[in-house]
Amino acid sequence: MVKHPIYNSSWKKTPFIRVAISTLAMAVAASSYAASSAKDLARLGLENTELTPTGAVRAGNAEGTIPAWKNTPLKAPPGFKPGTFHLDPFPTDKVKFTITSRNYQRHADKLTAGQLKMFETYPDYFMNIYQTRRSTVYKPYVYEAALQNAEKAELYKASDGRLGFNNAVIAWAFPTPKNGDEALLNQVTRPQPLWMGSWDNTAAVGSNGDYVLSEISVQQNWQWSDPGNTLENFDPSVDQMFYLQTIKAPATSAGQVIVANDPVHFIEKFRSAWVYNPGQRRVKRAPQIVHDSPLPASDGLATTDQRFGLNGPKDRFNYKLLGKREIYIPYNSYKINSGDLKYEDIISQNGRLNQNHARYELHRVWIVEASLREEYRHDYSKRVYYLDEDSWMIALMDGYDTKSDIWRLQETHSLMWYDVGFLGSTLDVHYDLSANRMLALYLDNEVDAPDFTLRLKKRYFTPASMRRRSVR
């Protein structure tokens, strides 16, 4: 039988090597950690408990600036039609106040190091703060799975740093995380749409505001949150995420196709990836599409593992859970999502996001510090993640360079897709503070909204299908 390429600790600072799964099983020792305690489980519940099924604090804060979470799904506003851009369910919300370079120090306790650096670097930078709305509410089966996971899930960690788990399905594996490893795995296991077709158009913006738009068509199938999954029938160690992207423009890269198939965790198996380059007219394996290789079409402004907030094996960093803080994060980003906006409305002439369309709210976030392990290399020496307590989506990331200086800020402008019941990103923004540049991902305002009705055969996400679908 053909064995999949997987990750081995010998890849640390050497060329990629493929080894058999059986060899890895003998060579890599691993440790497992117990599920949540009875005391923690008693705190969790859908109603009338201290914590929600995600492990979020149900109550609001003492100041009243964060409301209590209520198990009330967000309703589609009048006039919304599935398949179109999501209308703003809060159209009458007004800006409460604005943080600027003149007053940001007064709000420093609710800003990240990357956000503070933005104010220090750009005198015209500002953040409009809106009423906090805890609009992230999933379907009942998601929360039922989370409560089951809290009782049964176990962390599984390989000696070379790869993170995995046992006995979890559909939703967050560790609603009451005991450490940074479990917290990061909640990001991996957060509920996501099963199917989505989208335009993930990308703009690598110069300091003068100029950019060339890369038009990227994406189809993906993420089987993790299928309501039919059970602990008995679902295996997170085999391929469960299927991804295909095709670059349609500009002409210099049009026709390139990338396929990636991922397991949920990477203990037993590595990513399977292939690339079709129209100039060579060949399909090749692409083991380099992982970790800190440049994100395709990013002009080097982001690493491959930054897509979706964080993806791929989690082996190159040690993760430390720093607790929770109240932070101003992008949220309910329906204004940026609007199909009435043009790309020139979103990307301002100063080369950054037009902050008039951005919405920030005060939310409690889990903070996880990722420090590069000595035996590995990566573009970042440290990353600090800020994960929304109601979804475990990475809302912000502060990235540090090899000199341990703040280098980049990553923002996820999220919104609740209320027709399908999942949270997603309508725009990801990456600021490179040393290069004075910005990368914008998922620009689709001038084309089509995400399509959640997409259904494809599994063979679509294979090397055999790539050349047929690549048109230069």
Side-chain angles (χ1 to χ4, degrees), residues 215-368:
E215 299 176 14
I216 305 175
S217 172
V218 171
Q219 297 79 42
Q220 56 188 339
N221 174 211
W222 182 234
Q223 298 180 353
W224 168 251
S225 295
D226 189 317
N229 292 338
T230 66
L231 293 179
E232 292 72 30
N233 70 14
F234 189 85
D235 185 353
S237 68
V238 302
D239 288 335
Q240 303 288 359
M241 194 283 281
F242 303 92
Y243 176 93
L244 186 147
Q245 75 165 42
T246 306
I247 298 181
K248 302 291 188 178
T252 52
S253 53
Q256 184 192 77
V257 182
I258 293 174
V259 164
N261 298 338
D262 277 7
V264 183
H265 64 68
F266 293 82
I267 291 289
E268 291 88 358
K269 182 187 177 298
F270 191 56
R271 168 174 294 160
S272 301
W274 300 267
V275 61
Y276 173 84
N277 287 309
Q280 300 175 339
R281 302 182 67 82
R282 293 179 59 191
V283 173
K284 294 183 177 180
R285 281 193 174 272
Q288 74 279 7
I289 301 179
V290 73
H291 292 127
D292 59 348
S293 63
L295 184 69
S298 72
D299 201 19
L301 294 173
T303 57
T304 291
D305 62 7
Q306 287 183 258
R307 184 177 285 277
F308 312 122
L310 181 65
N311 74 86
K314 312 297 183 290
D315 53 343
R316 295 195 174 185
F317 291 80
N318 291 317
Y319 301 101
K320 182 178 181 180
L321 184 59
L322 302 182
K324 277 188 181 181
R325 275 178 60 193
E326 296 180 4
I327 295 289
Y328 293 115
I329 64 175
Y331 221 88
N332 291 308
S333 302
Y334 294 95
K335 290 180 69 176
I336 283 181
N337 177 71
S338 172
D340 295 331
L341 294 178
K342 304 296 183 184
Y343 302 139
E344 62 185 21
D345 299 322
I346 296 173
I347 301 172
S348 63
Q349 293 183 356
N350 61 20
R352 302 191 300 276
L353 176 64
N354 185 339
Q355 291 292 97
N356 289 303
H357 303 301
R359 174 175 177 143
Y360 298 87
E361 300 178 3
L362 185 66
H363 286 259
R364 285 181 292 243
V365 296
W366 293 94
I367 305 176
V368 177

Side-chain angles (χ1 to χ4, degrees), residues 14 89 146 159 172 213 248 252 277 287 302 308 314 374 406-407:
T14 60
S159 60
W172 313 274
L213 189 74
K248 302 291 188 178
T252 52
N277 287 309
F308 312 122
K314 312 297 183 290
E374 290 184 359
I406 191 73
W407 177 27

